Amino acid sequence: MTGTLAFTHLIADLLGVDASRLRDTSTLSGLLIASASAAGFSPVGAPLVRTLPSDDVAGVLLLDGCHIAIHAFPARQLLLLDVLALASTDPRKALDVFARRLAPREIRSETRGRG
């Protein structure tokens, strides 16, 4: 086993997001694509974004070897973002896209090396 980490894992809580934006599956799908593009990721298909029976929204975009996943909770004005990326890339660029487009009141994030 080498000392080089293979992945970077970013998790973020975007708080105070307009609930109507968090219910809009088309917008969230577009943000998954735009964030992957901004970070230089290679998607392996179209994003899958679905409204759940609870009125929350979940989505994922599979990347070559990694993923971007979201869980939106409109009633709480909260979007949880999970970006697993190759260590040679910067997942904060993906977070920046969500932050600019959703204009949260607050962002809490953490980045860790993985693998």
Side-chain angles (χ1 to χ4, degrees):
M1 181 172 163
T2 66
T4 304
L5 296 173
F7 303 97
T8 302
H9 193 193
L10 177 141
I11 57 171
D13 300 2
L14 286 75
L15 303 125
V17 177
D18 181 89
S20 64
R21 290 182 179 187
L22 296 177
R23 287 187 183 94
D24 186 341
T25 57
S26 294
T27 293
L28 295 174
S29 182
L31 287 174
L32 285 166
I33 294 167
S35 67
S37 177
F41 300 151
S42 298
V44 295
L48 176 64
V49 179
R50 297 288 186 263
T51 301
L52 305 174
S54 61
D55 193 40
D56 299 329
V57 177
V60 65
L61 178 61
L62 298 178
L63 308 171
D64 187 13
C66 301
H67 69 260
I68 302 174
I70 57 169
H71 295 276
F73 303 93
R76 297 185 63 196
Q77 296 184 312
L78 171 66
L79 178 98
L80 301 178
L81 175 66
D82 179 324
V83 183
L84 181 65
L86 298 174
S88 59
T89 62
D90 185 358
R92 291 174 297 184
K93 292 179 180 179
L95 172 57
D96 290 345
V97 170
F98 279 91
R100 280 194 314 274
R101 300 288 282 285
L102 295 179
R105 174 182 32 81
E106 180 182 353
I107 298 173
R108 300 178 194 152
S109 68
E110 178 181 328
T111 305
R112 293 184 180 191
R114 305 291 298 267

